[in-house]
Short mmCIF file of all heavy atoms in Angstrom, two decimals:
data_model
loop_
_atom_site.label_atom_id
_atom_site.label_comp_id
_atom_site.label_asym_id
_atom_site.label_seq_id
_atom_site.Cartn_x
_atom_site.Cartn_y
_atom_site.Cartn_z
N ARG Z 51 -47.35 -2.51 4.88
CA ARG Z 51 -46.04 -1.81 4.49
C ARG Z 51 -44.97 -2.60 5.09
O ARG Z 51 -44.96 -2.90 6.31
CB ARG Z 51 -46.10 -0.40 4.92
CG ARG Z 51 -44.88 0.40 4.75
CD ARG Z 51 -45.07 1.85 5.19
NE ARG Z 51 -43.81 2.51 5.32
CZ ARG Z 51 -43.22 2.79 6.39
NH1 ARG Z 51 -43.77 2.48 7.61
NH2 ARG Z 51 -42.05 3.47 6.47
N VAL Z 52 -43.85 -2.74 4.38
CA VAL Z 52 -42.63 -3.35 4.93
C VAL Z 52 -41.46 -2.36 4.70
O VAL Z 52 -41.49 -1.61 3.69
CB VAL Z 52 -42.27 -4.70 4.35
CG1 VAL Z 52 -43.35 -5.79 4.80
CG2 VAL Z 52 -42.22 -4.76 2.88
N THR Z 53 -40.54 -2.46 5.60
CA THR Z 53 -39.25 -1.60 5.36
C THR Z 53 -38.12 -2.53 5.43
O THR Z 53 -38.27 -3.76 5.81
CB THR Z 53 -39.12 -0.61 6.58
OG1 THR Z 53 -39.02 -1.33 7.82
CG2 THR Z 53 -40.35 0.33 6.54
N LEU Z 54 -37.01 -2.03 5.01
CA LEU Z 54 -35.76 -2.70 5.13
C LEU Z 54 -34.60 -1.78 5.17
O LEU Z 54 -34.74 -0.58 4.86
CB LEU Z 54 -35.56 -3.85 4.06
CG LEU Z 54 -35.57 -3.39 2.55
CD1 LEU Z 54 -34.38 -2.80 2.07
CD2 LEU Z 54 -36.09 -4.55 1.76
N SER Z 55 -33.41 -2.18 5.55
CA SER Z 55 -32.19 -1.40 5.64
C SER Z 55 -31.22 -2.03 4.64
O SER Z 55 -30.66 -3.19 4.96
CB SER Z 55 -31.61 -1.46 7.04
OG SER Z 55 -30.35 -0.79 7.10
N ALA Z 56 -31.08 -1.50 3.47
CA ALA Z 56 -30.32 -2.15 2.39
C ALA Z 56 -28.90 -1.66 2.41
O ALA Z 56 -28.66 -0.46 2.52
CB ALA Z 56 -30.93 -1.87 1.04
N GLN Z 57 -27.95 -2.60 2.22
CA GLN Z 57 -26.60 -2.11 1.89
C GLN Z 57 -26.77 -1.34 0.53
O GLN Z 57 -27.43 -1.84 -0.38
CB GLN Z 57 -25.64 -3.36 1.75
CG GLN Z 57 -25.44 -4.04 3.04
CD GLN Z 57 -24.52 -5.26 2.88
OE1 GLN Z 57 -23.71 -5.23 1.90
NE2 GLN Z 57 -24.56 -6.18 3.75
N VAL Z 58 -26.06 -0.27 0.50
CA VAL Z 58 -26.24 0.61 -0.73
C VAL Z 58 -25.91 -0.20 -1.99
O VAL Z 58 -26.59 -0.05 -3.04
CB VAL Z 58 -25.44 1.85 -0.73
CG1 VAL Z 58 -25.42 2.61 -1.98
CG2 VAL Z 58 -26.05 2.80 0.38
N ARG Z 59 -24.94 -1.10 -1.95
CA ARG Z 59 -24.46 -1.88 -3.07
C ARG Z 59 -25.62 -2.87 -3.44
O ARG Z 59 -25.57 -3.32 -4.60
CB ARG Z 59 -23.21 -2.46 -2.86
CG ARG Z 59 -23.31 -3.57 -1.69
CD ARG Z 59 -21.94 -4.26 -1.42
NE ARG Z 59 -21.98 -5.14 -0.44
CZ ARG Z 59 -20.97 -5.63 0.23
NH1 ARG Z 59 -19.70 -5.31 -0.24
NH2 ARG Z 59 -21.08 -6.51 1.21
N ALA Z 60 -26.52 -3.13 -2.61
CA ALA Z 60 -27.61 -4.12 -2.91
C ALA Z 60 -28.95 -3.41 -3.15
O ALA Z 60 -29.92 -3.98 -3.48
CB ALA Z 60 -27.83 -5.14 -1.76
N SER Z 61 -28.96 -2.00 -3.08
CA SER Z 61 -30.26 -1.30 -3.25
C SER Z 61 -30.85 -1.52 -4.59
O SER Z 61 -32.08 -1.47 -4.74
CB SER Z 61 -30.01 0.16 -2.95
OG SER Z 61 -29.18 0.74 -3.85
N GLY Z 62 -30.06 -1.70 -5.62
CA GLY Z 62 -30.67 -1.99 -6.96
C GLY Z 62 -31.48 -3.24 -7.01
O GLY Z 62 -32.51 -3.31 -7.70
N PHE Z 63 -31.00 -4.34 -6.28
CA PHE Z 63 -31.86 -5.56 -6.17
C PHE Z 63 -33.19 -5.28 -5.63
O PHE Z 63 -34.23 -5.71 -6.04
CB PHE Z 63 -31.00 -6.56 -5.34
CG PHE Z 63 -31.95 -7.70 -4.79
CD1 PHE Z 63 -32.35 -8.67 -5.63
CD2 PHE Z 63 -32.25 -7.65 -3.52
CE1 PHE Z 63 -33.12 -9.77 -5.12
CE2 PHE Z 63 -33.07 -8.70 -2.96
CZ PHE Z 63 -33.56 -9.70 -3.82
N TYR Z 64 -33.24 -4.49 -4.45
CA TYR Z 64 -34.46 -4.22 -3.82
C TYR Z 64 -35.34 -3.24 -4.65
O TYR Z 64 -36.63 -3.46 -4.71
CB TYR Z 64 -34.21 -3.56 -2.41
CG TYR Z 64 -33.60 -4.58 -1.51
CD1 TYR Z 64 -32.28 -4.49 -1.13
CD2 TYR Z 64 -34.30 -5.66 -1.01
CE1 TYR Z 64 -31.63 -5.41 -0.25
CE2 TYR Z 64 -33.71 -6.64 -0.14
CZ TYR Z 64 -32.37 -6.46 0.26
OH TYR Z 64 -31.83 -7.38 0.96
N LYS Z 65 -34.70 -2.28 -5.41
CA LYS Z 65 -35.55 -1.47 -6.23
C LYS Z 65 -36.33 -2.33 -7.23
O LYS Z 65 -37.37 -2.09 -7.67
CB LYS Z 65 -34.63 -0.41 -6.93
CG LYS Z 65 -34.20 0.76 -6.01
CD LYS Z 65 -33.36 1.68 -6.70
CE LYS Z 65 -32.85 2.81 -5.77
NZ LYS Z 65 -31.84 3.76 -6.47
N ALA Z 66 -35.51 -3.31 -7.79
CA ALA Z 66 -36.07 -4.07 -8.91
C ALA Z 66 -37.29 -4.93 -8.45
O ALA Z 66 -38.15 -5.36 -9.24
CB ALA Z 66 -34.99 -5.07 -9.41
N ILE Z 67 -37.40 -5.17 -7.18
CA ILE Z 67 -38.61 -5.91 -6.67
C ILE Z 67 -39.57 -4.96 -5.93
O ILE Z 67 -40.40 -5.44 -5.16
CB ILE Z 67 -38.16 -7.13 -5.75
CG1 ILE Z 67 -37.39 -6.73 -4.53
CG2 ILE Z 67 -37.42 -8.12 -6.61
CD1 ILE Z 67 -37.15 -7.85 -3.57
N GLY Z 68 -39.51 -3.69 -6.26
CA GLY Z 68 -40.52 -2.77 -5.87
C GLY Z 68 -40.29 -1.89 -4.59
O GLY Z 68 -41.15 -1.26 -4.14
N TYR Z 69 -39.06 -1.94 -4.01
CA TYR Z 69 -38.76 -1.05 -2.90
C TYR Z 69 -38.31 0.34 -3.29
O TYR Z 69 -37.69 0.49 -4.40
CB TYR Z 69 -37.67 -1.71 -2.05
CG TYR Z 69 -38.26 -2.89 -1.22
CD1 TYR Z 69 -38.39 -4.11 -1.81
CD2 TYR Z 69 -38.67 -2.73 0.08
CE1 TYR Z 69 -38.97 -5.23 -1.11
CE2 TYR Z 69 -39.24 -3.81 0.80
CZ TYR Z 69 -39.40 -5.06 0.14
OH TYR Z 69 -39.97 -6.04 0.88
N THR Z 70 -38.60 1.32 -2.53
CA THR Z 70 -38.32 2.68 -2.72
C THR Z 70 -37.42 3.20 -1.64
O THR Z 70 -37.80 3.05 -0.43
CB THR Z 70 -39.61 3.51 -2.82
OG1 THR Z 70 -40.39 2.95 -3.87
CG2 THR Z 70 -39.27 4.98 -3.14
N PRO Z 71 -36.36 3.81 -1.93
CA PRO Z 71 -35.50 4.34 -0.90
C PRO Z 71 -36.07 5.60 -0.22
O PRO Z 71 -36.83 6.30 -0.89
CB PRO Z 71 -34.14 4.71 -1.52
CG PRO Z 71 -34.53 4.88 -3.03
CD PRO Z 71 -35.78 4.02 -3.19
N TYR Z 72 -35.82 5.80 1.03
CA TYR Z 72 -36.22 7.05 1.68
C TYR Z 72 -35.19 7.51 2.71
O TYR Z 72 -34.44 6.56 3.22
CB TYR Z 72 -37.65 6.87 2.37
CG TYR Z 72 -37.79 5.99 3.47
CD1 TYR Z 72 -37.64 6.42 4.77
CD2 TYR Z 72 -37.97 4.60 3.22
CE1 TYR Z 72 -37.68 5.52 5.89
CE2 TYR Z 72 -38.12 3.71 4.27
CZ TYR Z 72 -37.95 4.25 5.54
OH TYR Z 72 -38.06 3.29 6.73
N GLY Z 73 -35.11 8.72 3.02
CA GLY Z 73 -34.15 9.24 3.99
C GLY Z 73 -32.76 9.27 3.36
O GLY Z 73 -32.54 9.07 2.17
N GLU Z 74 -31.80 9.50 4.28
CA GLU Z 74 -30.44 9.67 3.83
C GLU Z 74 -29.63 8.39 4.07
O GLU Z 74 -29.99 7.59 4.90
CB GLU Z 74 -29.74 10.81 4.72
CG GLU Z 74 -30.35 12.12 4.59
CD GLU Z 74 -30.27 12.74 3.25
OE1 GLU Z 74 -29.13 12.59 2.55
OE2 GLU Z 74 -31.18 13.31 2.71
N GLU Z 75 -28.59 8.23 3.25
CA GLU Z 75 -27.62 7.12 3.52
C GLU Z 75 -27.06 7.23 4.90
O GLU Z 75 -26.87 8.27 5.42
CB GLU Z 75 -26.48 6.99 2.48
CG GLU Z 75 -27.02 6.59 1.08
CD GLU Z 75 -25.82 6.53 0.13
OE1 GLU Z 75 -24.73 6.37 0.52
OE2 GLU Z 75 -26.15 6.53 -1.07
N TYR Z 76 -26.77 6.09 5.53
CA TYR Z 76 -26.11 6.02 6.78
C TYR Z 76 -25.23 4.81 6.87
O TYR Z 76 -25.25 3.97 5.97
CB TYR Z 76 -27.17 5.93 7.95
CG TYR Z 76 -28.14 4.73 7.80
CD1 TYR Z 76 -27.89 3.52 8.39
CD2 TYR Z 76 -29.30 4.86 6.97
CE1 TYR Z 76 -28.72 2.45 8.29
CE2 TYR Z 76 -30.09 3.75 6.85
CZ TYR Z 76 -29.77 2.57 7.48
OH TYR Z 76 -30.60 1.48 7.34
N TYR Z 77 -24.38 4.77 7.86
CA TYR Z 77 -23.38 3.70 8.02
C TYR Z 77 -23.81 2.71 9.11
O TYR Z 77 -24.18 3.21 10.23
CB TYR Z 77 -22.00 4.21 8.31
CG TYR Z 77 -21.37 4.70 7.00
CD1 TYR Z 77 -21.67 6.04 6.60
CD2 TYR Z 77 -20.55 3.96 6.26
CE1 TYR Z 77 -21.11 6.51 5.35
CE2 TYR Z 77 -19.90 4.34 5.04
CZ TYR Z 77 -20.29 5.59 4.61
OH TYR Z 77 -19.72 6.07 3.44
N ASP Z 78 -23.75 1.48 8.80
CA ASP Z 78 -24.03 0.43 9.88
C ASP Z 78 -22.79 -0.49 9.75
O ASP Z 78 -22.48 -1.08 8.71
CB ASP Z 78 -25.30 -0.36 9.54
CG ASP Z 78 -25.60 -1.38 10.55
OD1 ASP Z 78 -24.88 -1.56 11.46
OD2 ASP Z 78 -26.58 -2.06 10.31
N GLN Z 79 -21.90 -0.56 10.78
CA GLN Z 79 -20.72 -1.27 10.81
C GLN Z 79 -19.83 -0.92 9.55
O GLN Z 79 -19.35 -1.85 8.85
CB GLN Z 79 -20.99 -2.82 10.83
CG GLN Z 79 -21.71 -3.28 12.14
CD GLN Z 79 -21.71 -4.67 12.41
OE1 GLN Z 79 -20.65 -5.33 12.30
NE2 GLN Z 79 -22.84 -5.33 12.58
N TYR Z 80 -19.65 0.32 9.35
CA TYR Z 80 -18.70 0.87 8.35
C TYR Z 80 -19.21 0.45 6.96
O TYR Z 80 -18.45 0.64 5.97
CB TYR Z 80 -17.24 0.37 8.54
CG TYR Z 80 -16.89 0.60 9.95
CD1 TYR Z 80 -16.75 -0.37 10.94
CD2 TYR Z 80 -16.33 1.87 10.28
CE1 TYR Z 80 -16.30 -0.14 12.17
CE2 TYR Z 80 -15.86 2.15 11.62
CZ TYR Z 80 -15.88 1.05 12.55
OH TYR Z 80 -15.45 1.45 13.75
#
């Protein structure tokens, strides 16, 4: 299992290669 922290604007890219979001959105450096 691998995890990542996706910029929300890039989450579609990660979904397209098989990643599933979990938890709530959060801010990292605004």
